Amino acid sequence: QVQLVESGGGSVQAGGSLRLSCAASGYTGSLYCMAWFRQAPGKEREGVAVIDSDGGTRYGDSVKGRFTISQDNAKNTLYLQMNSLKPEDTAMYYCAACLNPLPVYSDYSLDPKMSWNWGQGTQVTVSS
């Protein structure tokens, strides 16, 4: 079982930046893919960004051009650089590792209903 621990959340004003980190442990070799999801109160969980073991990426439409997903395989750490934050980005952000091969460019790569191993989440609050 992969353990995922997120950090880096907090409160920021609109237009600001935050970088989330996710430390992964409990596995050997490479993970098929890792991703960030978010869930705002009263809303469904949505995919933010996903990255595969080769560095291929895909982003949700609402964050394209503002967020960047990356990974440091030597440190077993996933990152999400969030720039130009908006109040609508306010949510609990979850790190996830895919349990099965999942082509990053597929329609399902940002689907929270697929088989993911989840972290506990970190809160991001953006004020106007």
Side-chain angles (χ1 to χ4, degrees), residues 5-62:
V5 179
E6 302 97 330
S7 60
S11 297
V12 64
Q13 289 192 326
S17 298
L18 281 174
R19 188 175 83 154
L20 305 183
S21 299
C22 173
S25 61
Y27 66 98
T28 57
S30 299
L31 294 169
Y32 296 118
C33 70
M34 295 189 74
W36 290 98
F37 291 82
R38 68 185 182 185
Q39 189 167 17
K43 295 188 176 181
E44 293 187 351
R45 190 168 296 189
E46 67 168 338
V48 174
V50 60
I51 187 167
D52 65 19
S53 58
D54 294 325
T57 60
R58 181 172 176 235
Y59 295 89
D61 290 341
S62 61

Side-chain angles (χ1 to χ4, degrees), residues 35-41 43-50 59-63 66-67 80 87-96 109-113 116 118:
W36 290 98
F37 291 82
R38 68 185 182 185
Q39 189 167 17
K43 295 188 176 181
E44 293 187 351
R45 190 168 296 189
E46 67 168 338
V48 174
V50 60
Y59 295 89
D61 290 341
S62 61
V63 305
R66 300 188 298 122
F67 291 10
L80 184 68
E88 52 264 43
D89 294 317
T90 295
M92 184 71 79
Y93 283 71
Y94 297 91
C95 172
S109 63
L110 288 174
D111 186 345
K113 298 182 180 64
W116 298 97
W118 298 98

